[in-house]
Amino acid sequence: MSREITPLHIMSAFQVEPPALDFIISGFLSGTVGALYSPGGVGKSFLALEIAASVAGVDLLGFGPHCTGRTLYIALEDPEIVLRRRLFAIGSHLSLQQREIFAEKVEVLPMLGVPFDLRDGRHANWLTARADGVRLIIADTLSRAHSGDESSNGEMAQLLRVLERIGANTGASVLFLHHVNKSSGRDRNGDQFSIRGASALLDNARFGAAITYLEHDDAAAGTRIRYSVSKNNYAAPIPHRYFLRHEGGVLLPASQEHDDETGESPKEQRMGQRLNHHKPKALSSLLNPCGSPYLAAKNGETHDW
């Protein structure tokens, strides 16, 4: 054992009211492991950076007040120039004071091409030491952080135990980014069963959230994205949230006036449209003015973020 195991004092638990639960963001308890997943190119890396900003105390997402702290962002799949462009885009929405807070409390490590495998004890120990005093660790993406079989429940359960151990030893929450399976990406499904690979990835996590594209009634308003918490072990159910993609790819809050179960606007409900049951359509530059790597590649177009 790497640490002393102390039995819980039962009578004390009966008699002493415990402190309030400490959430990183709504539903994501501090010191636990969570997943953020989506089809490729929807914007989960941007959302993760903005979650890091929110934890730092710079709340672009409208997630509301919570305890703040430092974030360690492990960028395993994107080159440094892309990370710099994302940060530049986010910075355009911040004041000088907010930029300074972000820079002080968020550490981004460009690790594309760096050998990194959390199943290797040396790498797990390195991350544990590097995350000392950190409130949130973000691994972007999980598939680049291990050499195991993603479809094996046994191997993925073992990987989640490594993340749990890092959280237990540092006090940090660990948020890993991941993709959805093909059918879920096609149907814009963000439920608990849409995550790619072994079910243990989300079964063993204590929090799961997904983002998916939704079409918008008004093309000029841009691309609407739904954020839905699919798994939440320690809080009341959390309503869907909606974001619009802005210049450079930044996600900012959109109108929240949608049905919490379907994600439909009032107009869509009247017309009987169920957006989450439609195959996604290629979005024109008018609908998606800031570009998406996933859709641009599909359409043979270029993108700049």
Side-chain angles (χ1 to χ4, degrees):
M1 293 287 184
S2 59
R3 60 193 178 101
E4 184 71 23
I5 306 299
T6 304
L8 186 66
H9 193 286
I10 303 297
M11 288 305 297
S12 175
F14 286 151
Q15 297 166 358
V16 179
E17 184 176 356
L21 294 176
D22 174 21
F23 291 99
I24 299 293
I25 55 175
S26 295
F28 188 15
L29 187 66
S30 62
T32 64
V33 176
L36 174 63
Y37 54 100
S38 77
V42 174
K44 60 182 174 295
S45 293
F46 255 110
L47 182 61
L49 280 171
E50 292 183 54
I51 288 173
S54 180
V55 171
V58 181
D59 188 15
L60 288 172
L61 298 168
F63 278 164
H66 46 256
C67 296
T68 60
R70 293 172 51 221
T71 294
L72 178 63
Y73 191 106
I74 308 296
L76 295 164
E77 70 172 4
D78 292 309
E80 182 174 341
I81 183 62
V82 171
L83 299 172
R84 293 179 64 89
R85 290 178 67 87
R86 289 173 181 165
L87 290 168
F88 182 82
I90 291 172
S92 68
H93 294 271
L94 305 179
S95 67
L96 176 59
Q97 182 181 20
Q98 289 173 323
R99 292 182 184 185
E100 290 173 345
I101 292 171
F102 193 129
E104 178 186 355
K105 294 189 176 181
V106 179
E107 182 178 22
V108 178
L109 296 183
M111 292 179 58
L112 176 65
V114 176
F116 187 69
D117 187 349
L118 287 170
R119 288 156 51 89
D120 183 326
R122 296 170 301 171
H123 295 175
N125 291 339
W126 171 84
L127 181 55
T128 300
R130 188 71 186 239
D132 182 44
V134 164
R135 181 163 171 78
L136 175 64
I137 302 167
I138 297 175
D140 182 7
T141 62
L142 187 68
S143 62
R144 302 269 186 148
H146 69 92
S147 59
D149 179 358
E150 192 177 89
S151 299
S152 167
N153 272 311
E155 292 190 20
M156 292 303 97
Q158 181 185 43
L159 178 62
L160 265 289
R161 285 196 293 272
V162 172
L163 298 181
E164 289 169 346
R165 186 164 61 250
I166 292 171
N169 290 336
T170 62
S173 294
V174 182
L175 182 68
F176 66 84
L177 276 54
H178 200 51
H179 293 86
V180 299
N181 55 52
K182 290 182 180 179
S183 62
S184 297
R186 181 178 61 248
D187 298 334
R188 298 185 184 139
N189 184 6
D191 66 23
Q192 185 172 340
F193 307 103
S194 64
I195 195 166
R196 191 181 72 192
S199 60
L201 286 171
L202 207 51
D203 289 346
N204 290 20
R206 301 294 87 193
F207 171 85
I211 55 172
T212 53
Y213 274 123
L214 296 174
E215 293 177 353
H216 200 283
D217 302 312
D218 181 5
T223 304
R224 191 170 79 247
I225 290 171
R226 182 181 66 202
Y227 167 88
S228 55
V229 176
S230 58
K231 183 175 183 181
N232 162 30
N233 285 74
Y234 304 114
I238 297 170
H240 298 333
R241 300 190 66 86
Y242 298 88
F243 302 102
L244 287 179
R245 187 182 301 288
H246 290 256
E247 184 176 356
V250 178
L251 303 179
L252 296 176
S255 169
Q256 305 299 310
E257 296 179 358
H258 300 87
D259 178 80
D260 286 340
E261 293 299 322
T262 65
E264 298 172 351
S265 68
K267 177 179 178 181
E268 291 163 345
Q269 293 178 50
R270 290 194 300 271
M271 295 177 64
Q273 296 175 335
R274 299 298 298 270
L275 295 181
N276 59 326
H277 291 299
H278 282 278
K279 182 177 180 179
K281 300 175 183 178
L283 301 180
S284 67
S285 58
L286 182 63
L287 274 171
N288 192 24
C290 302
S292 157
Y294 174 75
L295 294 174
K298 181 178 179 181
N299 298 333
E301 303 167 355
T302 60
H303 58 87
D304 61 359
W305 60 271

